């Protein structure tokens, strides 16, 4: 009975985490399946021993242990793949940001140069106008 309560609690927690958007759907699928598989084992404990015997395992507890280790290995492998993917994505984004910063720096320098040239040209025009006005 405790096993079934644990399974129901697990599924309820997963649903709540999904509802609050704390867990992504792609990760929740495995955990919901795990919870749904745990629930009947509490009501029918002999079912586990029958399944274990049919696959050639001595006891249901050994089967659960093996399946748990295999499940956790798959989860670790998948999370390792995700971490590698995210590291590569982070590296790419860092490189893009660095290139964009260089572009912004160059654009600011060009804008400052253009502003100085415009300022100089305006000052020269004003000086020429003042000379023409003073010469009359």
């Amino acid at each position: 009975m405790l096993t079934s309560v644990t399974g129901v609690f697990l599924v309820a927690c997963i649903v709540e985490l999904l509802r609050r958007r704390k867990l992504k759907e792609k990760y929740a699928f495995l955990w919901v399946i795990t919870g749904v598989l745990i629930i009947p084992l509490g009501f029918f404990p002999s079912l586990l021993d029958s399944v274990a015997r049919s696959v050639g395992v001595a006891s249901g507890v050994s089967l659960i242990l093996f399946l748990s280790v295999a499940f956790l290995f798959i989860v670790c492998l998948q999370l390792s793949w995700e971490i590698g993917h995210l590291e590569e994505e982070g590296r790419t984004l860092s490189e893009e940001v660095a290139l964009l910063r260089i572009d912004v720096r160059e654009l600011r320098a060009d804008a400052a140069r253009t502003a100085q040239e415009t300022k100089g040209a305006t000052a020269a025009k004003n000086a020429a106008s003042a000379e023409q006005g003073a010469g009359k």
Side-chain angles (χ1 to χ4, degrees):
M1 187 64 157
L2 179 62
T3 306
S4 295
V5 172
T6 303
V8 170
F9 180 73
L10 177 64
V11 171
C13 287
I14 297 301
V15 169
E16 184 61 22
L17 288 172
L18 282 170
R19 191 182 69 77
R20 292 183 183 186
R21 303 242 184 244
K22 300 287 184 186
L23 184 65
K24 293 196 177 228
E25 290 84 7
K26 67 180 182 178
Y27 301 118
F29 178 72
L30 287 175
W31 296 114
V32 168
I33 295 297
T34 302
V36 168
L37 290 175
I38 288 174
I39 293 170
L41 294 178
F43 293 117
F44 309 106
S46 61
L47 180 67
L48 180 61
D49 289 327
S50 300
V51 171
R53 270 185 255 113
S54 68
V55 294
V57 178
S59 73
V61 175
S62 297
L63 180 64
I64 288 292
L65 180 63
F66 171 75
L67 292 176
S68 299
V69 169
F71 176 75
L72 291 176
F73 176 76
I74 291 169
V75 168
C76 287
L77 188 63
Q78 196 271 337
L79 290 175
S80 296
W81 178 82
E82 287 279 335
I83 288 171
H85 177 72
L86 290 173
E87 283 178 352
E88 183 62 34
E89 189 175 310
R91 186 177 305 115
T92 301
L93 288 173
S94 295
E95 291 170 358
E96 288 178 8
V97 166
L99 292 172
L100 288 172
R101 284 183 179 165
I102 291 170
D103 288 345
V104 167
R105 196 174 301 132
E106 289 173 356
L107 288 172
R108 285 183 179 162
D110 289 344
R113 233 180 284 119
T114 304
Q116 287 294 337
E117 290 170 1
T118 305
K119 198 178 205 183
T122 304
K125 265 189 196 176
N126 289 342
S129 297
E131 284 180 17
Q132 286 178 354
K136 288 186 182 182

